[in-house]
Amino acid sequence: MDRQVVAVILAGGQGRRMGGVDKAMVSLAGRPLFAHVAARIRPQVAQLAISANGDPLRFAPFPVLPDAPARRGEGPLAGVLSALYWAEAQGARAVLSVPVDTPFLPGDLVSRLSGAGHAIACSQGRAHPSVALWPVRLRPRIESLFAQGERRLRMACEGAREIDFDATPDPFTNLNTPEDLSAAELILARGMP
């Protein structure tokens, strides 16, 4: 566990491809998706919070970081920015961001990313900017990008070091559709990963 790193699960998406449901609460092997992600990340960090709007009680016992009112509905970069403010108040040096629909995250995610400063995870030749380590010192830069109208995580990750993770199944697979959810159920039923 890195005591200087906190984590935020980005759970503000609208789950359109999943039928418009609260994706964080979609059941996978009898537990909500956010619980799978939390179980993977919690042992690796000092604290864990959820970036989401709506009723915070659904994520108990984790703290919930809603978007600032002026940024509500502005995407995952708004969640990262709220998490950077929270991390700074906690005395952390960095925030790990992960999406709520990635239940197969690696157990060494934080240790591998934290050695690189600002870093994003990659797998199978593809970068995953929503799985990133954000040093708290980047908050003013992210704030500036946001003020300029930038909302893309990829743009905020410019200059970040890419850290490659090779595993099967892909540890950063997003569950976006009912078919993805069924495939994840099969993976878990086989005892993987």
Side-chain angles (χ1 to χ4, degrees):
M1 172 198 313
D2 190 326
R3 297 193 180 279
Q4 292 296 306
V5 175
V6 295
V8 63
I9 297 175
L10 302 172
Q14 300 187 11
R16 289 185 190 104
R17 289 180 281 179
M18 198 69 86
V21 299
D22 183 354
K23 198 188 287 191
M25 296 299 151
V26 168
S27 181
L28 173 64
R31 295 182 358 199
L33 269 178
F34 91 88
H36 286 273
V37 176
R40 294 277 181 157
I41 294 303
R42 182 64 192 102
Q44 301 183 53
V45 296
Q47 293 185 62
L48 174 67
I50 313 289
S51 170
N53 298 308
D55 183 6
L57 294 178
R58 70 193 196 274
F59 295 111
F62 299 105
V64 174
L65 309 174
D67 295 339
R71 296 188 182 109
R72 194 147 293 151
E74 293 285 343
L77 190 57
V80 168
L81 191 52
S82 292
L84 286 167
Y85 277 104
W86 173 71
E88 194 169 34
Q90 305 304 311
R93 70 172 171 79
V95 173
L96 172 74
S97 65
V98 295
V100 75
D101 60 357
T102 52
F104 305 125
L105 294 167
D108 62 350
L109 181 61
V110 172
S111 64
R112 293 199 46 210
L113 292 180
S114 65
H118 185 202
I120 62 173
C122 299
S123 62
Q124 300 179 3
R126 185 172 160 233
H128 301 278
S130 58
V131 182
L133 191 75
W134 305 86
V136 170
R137 64 177 164 71
L138 290 179
R139 186 189 52 74
R141 179 175 164 258
I142 305 300
E143 188 81 64
S144 175
L145 285 171
F146 213 92
Q148 295 168 31
E150 185 59 64
R151 301 297 182 266
R152 294 172 293 172
L153 283 172
R154 182 166 301 286
M155 292 303 293
C157 285
E158 273 190 6
R161 188 162 166 216
E162 295 185 357
I163 306 299
D164 196 43
F165 292 80
D166 283 324
T168 302
D170 184 344
F172 310 112
T173 295
N174 295 99
L175 305 185
N176 290 316
T177 66
E179 294 77 21
D180 295 340
L181 192 62
S182 295
E185 292 274 0
L186 287 174
I187 290 167
L188 291 175
R190 292 182 188 134
M192 297 171 57

